[in-house]
Amino acid sequence: MHRSWVEISRGRIARNYRSVRAAVGPGVEVAGVVKADAYGHGAVEVARVLEAEGAQWLAVSSVEEGIGLRRSGVAARILVMAGFLRDEGEALVDARLTPVVHSVEEIAGLERIGRPIAFHLKIDSGMARLGTRARAKWIASAVAVCRRARLEGLMTHFASAADFSSPQTEEQEARFDEVRARLAEAGVRPEWVHMASTNAVAWDRRSTWRNMVRVGHALYGYVSPARGAAPARVLDVQPALAWKARILAVKDLPEGAPVGYGGSFRAPRPLRAGVLALGYADGLPHRLSGKGKVLAAGKPAAILGPVSMDLTTVDLSLAPELGPGDEVTILGEGLDAQQIARAAGTISYAVLCGISPRVHRVYVE
Ligand SMILES: *Cc1c(COP(=O)(O)O)cnc(C)c1O
């Protein structure tokens, strides 16, 4: 019996992956993004599910994450997307990882390792995060002198692919294609070209799919809502994770009783309170204090007062049959990560990634 745990459905993740493949069609590789412990779902478990589904490519953020997958026996290609440090070059090669390179200097740095390595180059097409803004001719001459380092992929990343009230995605795509065309003129034609992640797939920006897409959020069952005049959504996915916690204690409170730290929250009426065995140290956002809810026997149970580190008090008035040891749903059928994020003033990605390692991961079919 756990205080708090998540149930992760392998079958759902497999079905979501298949849905993405069906949406983009044959000829487009789907790289499964398993960074940040697969958005809290467990990188090794998710990688195994995706490999069993035939995934050829996975993507992580760091060399450390890539090594973790290799040590667990993951054989697929692994793209390291969020940069590497100068002293990680040997480790990249040893673990057969494929780095994303973000500057002309880094191309030379990879070559200096003196061992064969394929890499992908990221173009900053207008997000001003990672990626090079160098002229194509400098990129081409850096690539031309390489003997061991081989440019295998060209990529970029969108800042607002779900926003159809902004031209930013079209502008980024055009800028990327200009660099790509200049590189092609200089004889540089990488075999993989990729820019789309979940939103650009789900919201049918198919001109951006090229021959690879990098999908994370959708694998876990989520697509961000679109803004503006969006086309019909072409991807149907379902959340793969449910989060539960046990009730530790129940008590009846009179109207006006202060609840939790600070004493400023007071019971608005006589109510049945339940003390849950989780808090912000488990990843329940502190910002849900006095705002969020959980589901108790399928009914809403408001969070009363501040979420504390290890404990959270909720209103069990609609589920008086529950007692110590019974479970409540923090996230699950009827209450997804996007609803929690809205209540907490954050995003669903952060809710999922925030579920702390001390919450047990239980895998179900
Ligand atoms: C996280 C990430 C992705 C995946 O994004 P989702 O919205 O989760 O599909 C793709 N590409 C890069 C560069 C990323 O950092």
Side-chain angles (χ1 to χ4, degrees):
M1 221 166 142
H2 301 303
R3 290 170 67 91
S4 175
W5 70 102
V6 291
E7 291 168 4
I8 296 158
S9 164
R10 292 194 185 91
R12 280 270 171 95
I13 293 170
R15 280 197 294 283
N16 291 340
Y17 177 75
R18 277 179 234 144
S19 298
V20 175
R21 291 188 77 142
V24 297
V28 180
E29 190 68 36
V30 177
V33 178
V34 295
K35 64 190 181 191
D37 205 25
Y39 301 35
H41 294 64
V44 171
E45 290 286 347
V46 172
R48 288 192 179 134
V49 169
L50 299 180
E51 279 194 316
E53 291 296 316
Q56 305 289 318
W57 283 86
L58 301 171
V60 296
S61 283
S62 66
V63 174
E64 195 176 347
E65 288 179 344
I67 290 173
L69 291 179
R70 283 285 181 256
R71 290 210 171 122
S72 305
V74 170
R77 296 289 303 273
I78 299 175
L79 190 66
V80 177
M81 299 189 296
F84 55 93
L85 305 173
R86 268 197 307 276
D87 63 357
E88 290 180 317
E90 292 281 341
L92 271 172
V93 181
D94 289 345
R96 291 172 290 110
L97 305 176
T98 306
V100 175
V101 160
H102 301 100
S103 71
V104 169
E105 294 72 28
E106 278 179 3
I107 298 175
L110 278 189
E111 177 65 15
R112 274 197 301 275
I113 299 171
R115 299 167 64 188
I117 185 165
F119 68 92
H120 292 210
L121 177 69
K122 188 174 190 179
I123 305 298
D124 176 2
S125 58
M127 184 176 179
R129 212 175 57 175
L130 283 174
T132 181
R133 295 169 90 102
R135 311 258 311 263
K137 66 175 181 183
W138 299 121
I139 298 171
S141 45
V143 168
V145 299
C146 288
R147 294 288 165 271
R148 304 274 166 70
R150 181 173 69 86
L151 176 60
E152 183 195 26
L154 195 66
M155 63 183 279
T156 192
H157 190 53
F158 294 129
S160 42
D163 188 353
F164 289 82
S165 69
S166 152
Q168 190 179 10
T169 306
E170 287 81 359
E171 287 165 7
Q172 285 194 260
E173 187 179 3
R175 231 171 277 153
F176 177 81
D177 276 333
E178 191 179 321
V179 177
R180 197 171 64 88
R182 293 261 157 81
L183 287 173
E185 283 165 19
V188 178
R189 293 185 188 83
E191 102 192 56
W192 297 107
V193 177
H194 46 108
M195 42 173 91
S197 52
T198 292
N199 289 338
V201 171
W203 297 109
D204 204 7
R205 293 189 183 270
R206 58 183 68 219
S207 68
T208 69
W209 296 348
R210 309 302 164 99
N211 63 357
M212 183 186 282
V213 297
R214 309 179 304 266
V215 170
H217 216 209
L219 296 180
Y220 311 111
Y222 291 92
V223 170
S224 302
R227 297 181 55 185
R233 196 171 131 170
V234 295
L235 183 62
D236 182 32
V237 288
Q238 289 179 321
L241 177 150
W243 187 3
K244 312 269 177 74
R246 302 269 175 209
I247 297 169
L248 289 170
V250 296
K251 58 191 63 180
D252 293 308
L253 299 177
E255 181 178 338
V259 180
Y261 283 118
S264 56
F265 182 89
R266 286 169 185 275
R269 54 188 158 71
L271 57 81
R272 165 69 59 92
V275 181
L276 306 182
L278 93 166
Y280 60 77
D282 300 282
L284 189 68
H286 183 261
R287 295 274 294 275
L288 290 177
S289 296
K291 293 194 233 171
K293 63 174 182 187
V294 304
L295 295 176
K299 314 236 176 44
I303 293 176
L304 303 174
V307 171
S308 47
M309 188 182 291
D310 309 305
L311 301 166
T312 300
T313 304
V314 299
D315 182 353
L316 288 181
S317 300
L318 296 177
E321 70 275 26
L322 296 187
D326 287 337
E327 66 180 59
V328 302
T329 296
I330 309 303
L331 187 170
E333 213 66 58
L335 181 56
D336 70 18
Q338 286 170 330
Q339 291 167 286
I340 294 172
R342 266 194 298 281
T346 182
I347 57 174
S348 51
Y349 292 76
V351 170
L352 295 172
C353 291
I355 302 172
S356 97
R358 89 172 177 191
V359 176
H360 294 264
R361 266 65 178 174
V362 177
Y363 292 88
V364 299
E365 287 317 306

